[in-house]
Amino acid sequence: MKEQLEIIRKGALEAISGAQGAADLESLRVKYLGKKGELTAVLKQMGGLSAELRPVIGQLANEVRASVEKAIEAQSAIVSERALAARLEAETVDVTVPGKKIPLGHKHPMYAVLDEIKEIFIGMGFEIFDGPEVEQAEYNFTKLNAPEDHPSRDWTDTFYLTKDSTVLLRSQTSPVQIRAMETHGVPIRMISPGRVYRKDEVDATHSPMFHQIEGLVVDKGITMADLKGTLNTIIREIYGSNTQTRFRPHHFPFTEPSCEMDIQCHKCGGAGCPTCKGEGWIELLGAGMVHPKVLRNCGVDPEEYSGFAFGFGLERLALGQYKISDMRLIFENDVRFLEQF
Ligand code: PHE
């Protein structure tokens, strides 16, 4: 029996040291130590031994059991360590491999230009104001000193929302001048960018919806020199420090005197080219000294305060900045176009 036990020990230890996984080890444990296992089978024969031999064999059997158990335990530790190492190896992330690019959108080119302009004005102490796109005729025209028969009030030019022509889609951002003076009071320095609506047919330079930026400065002692100085400074920030400008007399109901501001064509330098339609100059904005009637309509005393206002089209500015030839591209939102900026 002694030899039998030694054979079992030898066989078991060999098999255990060659086991590759936890399942192998478990079946070896059953094979040698289980109820129907080899060691148990030997022990069952112990009844036939002499009284002297029984304790000796008993002790040896216990030793064999202990050494098999220990071997299983040791091998099990080795096997699970190996499994862990293999798993870590398989799951290793190489942080030096370039990542997958997630497609990310970006600012629309016109809003990029708008943000740039806002920054310039904010740097000069202007506040940003917002006004409603659905506006009252009272604000869009009347308080801005537009007479009842002014052509811009005509239904062929303006989108009215009510039959009595009292509510409309604003045709300019100028009503925000009124709203700003009413709510904020004077002195004031503000700009107000936003959408405006006119009954224009769509072509390369027209759209029934476009964007304007309105500006208003009211304080004591504001003169036309402030208007020219401020607008020249801003235009040179946008178009470059040696940009030439000129002011031409014009008419707006809400400013007196009124003017339009042109810049010398940045393409031909004033010689005349298709961009400036041979003129050498490009019309940029409308402006003027706030009409005393408009100030009075907002409860501001024109004897005490004066101011200037200006308004310009944002699309035209963006078209010039990015050398885009057709305004429709700005609104169509074709990704192939927008991706270029
Ligand atoms: N609202 C005028 C327009 O749409 C522009 C303007 C604004 C002119 C402010 C003078 C002062 O043409």
Side-chain angles (χ1 to χ4, degrees), residues 29-301:
R29 194 189 63 74
V30 172
K31 178 171 181 221
Y32 293 106
L33 307 178
K35 268 184 197 153
K36 290 175 186 161
E38 289 183 18
L39 192 62
T40 318
V42 173
L43 292 176
K44 274 183 186 156
Q45 299 165 18
M46 279 197 21
L49 291 175
S50 64
E52 301 94 75
L53 223 51
R54 214 180 285 156
V56 180
I57 297 296
Q59 198 189 346
L60 182 60
N62 279 339
E63 269 175 40
V64 170
R65 168 179 288 276
S67 64
V68 169
E69 279 173 350
K70 220 173 126 193
I72 288 177
E73 210 173 292
Q75 185 66 14
S76 152
I78 290 169
V79 161
S80 65
E81 206 168 289
R82 245 189 244 150
L84 179 65
R87 226 180 80 198
L88 288 177
E89 173 78 18
E91 291 177 1
T92 299
V93 175
D94 182 352
V95 293
T96 64
V97 171
K100 279 197 196 108
K101 239 189 179 170
I102 298 167
L104 198 65
H106 63 80
K107 238 180 250 171
H108 188 284
M110 196 185 66
Y111 282 92
V113 171
L114 176 57
D115 283 350
E116 204 181 303
I117 292 168
K118 277 186 186 169
E119 283 303 318
I120 296 170
F121 278 106
I122 288 168
M124 294 177 79
F126 282 71
E127 284 178 66
I128 314 276
F129 268 73
D130 222 357
E133 288 171 35
V134 174
E135 185 54 284
Q136 298 170 36
E138 181 78 7
Y139 282 82
N140 196 83
F141 297 122
T142 313
K143 290 191 179 201
L144 284 165
N145 195 37
E148 286 303 323
D149 58 354
H150 196 271
S152 64
R153 288 190 186 245
D154 203 288
W155 67 270
T156 55
D157 288 334
T158 300
F159 291 105
Y160 285 100
L161 300 176
T162 54
K163 278 191 182 138
D164 62 1
S165 305
T166 53
V167 183
L168 46 79
L169 292 176
R170 65 178 177 188
S171 62
Q172 52 186 354
T173 44
S174 299
V176 190
Q177 288 184 37
I178 306 293
R179 292 186 174 276
M181 277 193 274
E182 282 183 354
T183 57
H184 178 283
V186 292
I188 188 169
R189 258 184 288 184
M190 73 89 177
I191 60 161
S192 182
R195 293 188 181 90
V196 300
Y197 302 84
R198 290 181 194 177
K199 284 189 181 169
D200 284 328
E201 293 292 334
V202 174
D203 65 23
T205 53
H206 291 88
S207 160
M209 186 282 294
F210 59 102
H211 294 71
Q212 282 188 331
I213 302 177
E214 192 78 10
L216 175 72
V217 173
V218 179
D219 205 339
K220 289 177 180 165
I222 298 288
T223 69
M224 194 89 184
D226 296 306
L227 180 158
K228 291 181 76 174
T230 306
L231 291 179
N232 275 334
T233 305
I234 280 151
I235 291 311
R236 285 178 186 144
E237 282 280 346
I238 300 173
Y239 285 96
S241 55
N242 43 22
T243 305
Q244 295 302 310
T245 62
R246 75 175 182 189
F247 292 82
R248 279 179 293 105
H250 201 75
H251 172 79
F252 297 105
F254 36 89
T255 46
E256 179 59 34
S258 304
C259 62
E260 278 192 329
M261 183 186 187
D262 302 337
I263 56 164
Q264 201 163 56
C265 181
H266 38 77
K267 216 158 191 186
C268 64
C273 71
T275 299
C276 56
K277 298 188 188 89
E279 297 275 325
W281 296 87
I282 297 169
E283 181 193 316
L284 211 61
L285 54 83
M289 300 305 291
V290 182
H291 198 293
K293 276 192 186 164
V294 173
L295 291 174
R296 231 175 271 127
N297 288 342
C298 301
V300 177
D301 181 0

